[in-house]
Amino acid sequence: MEPKIEHKSLDCSDGYRLKYCHFQSEAPKAVVIFASALGVSQQYYQRLAGYLCQRGYDCLSFDYRGTGEQDAVLASDAAIEHWGQRDIEAIIQQALSTNLPVHFIGHSIGGQLLGLAPSSSKLSSILFVAASAPYWKRWTGAERLKLLLLGYVFIPLLGALKDPFPISALGLGNIRMPSRFIKRWAQWMREPDYLLSPEFKLDRDGYENIQCRLWALGFSDDALAPEVNIRHLTGFFTQAQVSLDILNPAEEGLPAIGHNGLFHQRSEATLWPKVLDYLG
């Protein structure tokens, strides 16, 4: 039976009206939050959300402010870090209000931003999917050159010329994105500690306050999140119960996984049960 999906909205701490989807289980035992990758619509996560919903988990998914289905007017000082400080924070608070255990699945930047949300310390477990600290110098060869040009040339240049940013032209996603947000993301990639480098003045206390289980999943065929960058990100979570696995597609019986493949329907038989077991 298909899960019941309700489209709802809530107010973030700054008054921004954030839309989200609520996948309703008949008898929920916990809540799972999906936090999207950069440039990826919340709709991409609906297959896995439906799978978990049918197995007793209410699920919440959303687009970040300024992207996808969000249509509230952005404040003049809106910034990409508000995705963590305000959007993810508001969704966590909404999930906690159910008085059920709350689990968090962060895909790519969805994991990177988690520690900016003060209520992240109240989560029951965390799953990172291809989430890393993407400092360009930690790549090698052609990939390092590609990230160098992306962070220093293509994003600053296109961001100065167009708004919203032409994100699909660079293969970074398929939903609209404010240019100032992605320009800031490029600045993060230029520094070893990414968004937590001192010059960005973002508080790392939230990362260090998380104490629950944190499973970081990477994939051997994912050029966007190599293991060295995944390990750098998990190093920010000094008190969490961190485990890390790099899965090989062939060993999982899959032709490919890559950066987004865990959420694809082809992963249902092999990877989704791993997610279910972890949450349980």
Side-chain angles (χ1 to χ4, degrees):
M1 184 175 66
E2 291 296 317
K4 180 181 179 182
I5 305 175
E6 287 195 1
H7 298 272
K8 301 179 178 180
S9 59
L10 54 78
D11 287 328
C12 297
S13 60
D14 60 348
Y16 186 90
R17 193 71 174 168
L18 190 78
K19 295 179 178 179
Y20 68 99
C21 286
H22 181 189
F23 296 74
Q24 297 181 332
S25 175
E26 290 186 356
K29 55 189 175 184
V31 182
V32 177
I33 295 169
F34 286 82
S36 307
L38 184 86
V40 178
S41 167
Q42 65 167 326
Q43 295 176 358
Y44 192 71
Y45 306 96
Q46 291 190 0
R47 290 180 292 253
L48 179 54
Y51 172 90
L52 295 176
C53 189
Q54 292 170 344
R55 289 155 178 80
Y57 294 90
D58 271 17
C59 295
L60 308 180
S61 67
F62 64 103
D63 292 323
Y64 303 113
R65 64 181 62 199
T67 74
E69 297 180 3
Q70 303 298 348
D71 55 11
V73 176
L74 284 174
S76 59
D77 65 344
I80 191 171
E81 53 263 36
H82 295 163
W83 290 356
Q85 294 167 337
R86 301 174 185 180
D87 299 354
I88 292 176
E89 171 66 12
I91 291 290
I92 292 176
Q93 288 188 14
Q94 177 64 32
L96 290 170
S97 72
T98 65
N99 293 317
L100 293 169
V102 179
H103 307 280
F104 183 89
I105 298 178
H107 183 204
S108 197
I109 202 171
Q112 298 163 11
L113 296 169
L114 175 60
L116 298 180
S119 295
S120 58
S121 62
K122 300 176 182 178
L123 294 168
S124 294
S125 79
I126 298 164
L127 169 59
F128 284 172
V129 180
S132 68
Y135 175 49
W136 70 275
K137 282 188 178 180
R138 283 192 285 269
W139 274 273
T140 59
E143 288 296 325
R144 174 185 284 196
L145 178 60
K146 176 181 175 181
L147 270 293
L148 170 67
L149 292 174
L150 189 68
Y152 282 87
V153 180
F154 296 134
I155 288 178
L157 179 60
L158 289 174
L161 296 174
K162 292 183 177 293
D163 191 25
F165 189 85
I167 192 166
S168 60
L170 294 181
L172 296 175
N174 56 9
I175 61 174
R176 64 187 175 89
M177 182 80 57
S179 286
R180 66 183 185 272
F181 284 19
I182 198 164
K183 286 164 65 179
R184 185 64 158 177
W185 176 68
Q187 292 176 343
W188 290 350
M189 288 198 300
R190 299 173 199 167
E191 302 299 329
D193 273 353
Y194 189 53
L195 79 169
L196 293 183
S197 293
E199 57 266 46
F200 302 125
K201 297 181 172 59
L202 296 176
D203 191 353
R204 70 168 62 210
D205 287 352
Y207 295 80
E208 297 173 350
N209 290 337
I210 290 172
Q211 299 182 28
C212 67
R213 295 178 293 130
L214 191 165
W215 185 26
L217 266 184
F219 309 101
S220 61
D221 62 338
D222 180 8
L224 295 178
E227 182 176 350
V228 62
N229 281 342
I230 294 174
R231 289 191 180 278
H232 199 88
L233 177 67
T234 58
F236 298 153
F237 297 84
T238 54
Q239 295 195 75
Q241 304 165 43
V242 175
S243 57
L244 187 153
D245 286 298
I246 305 297
L247 302 185
N248 183 295
E251 294 175 358
E252 302 300 327
L254 294 169
I257 302 175
H259 199 63
N260 300 331
L262 180 135
F263 303 100
H264 195 278
Q265 193 74 50
R266 65 175 176 265
S267 298
E268 179 174 359
T270 56
L271 300 185
W272 293 4
K274 296 179 188 291
V275 174
L276 188 64
D277 288 347
Y278 175 71
L279 296 177

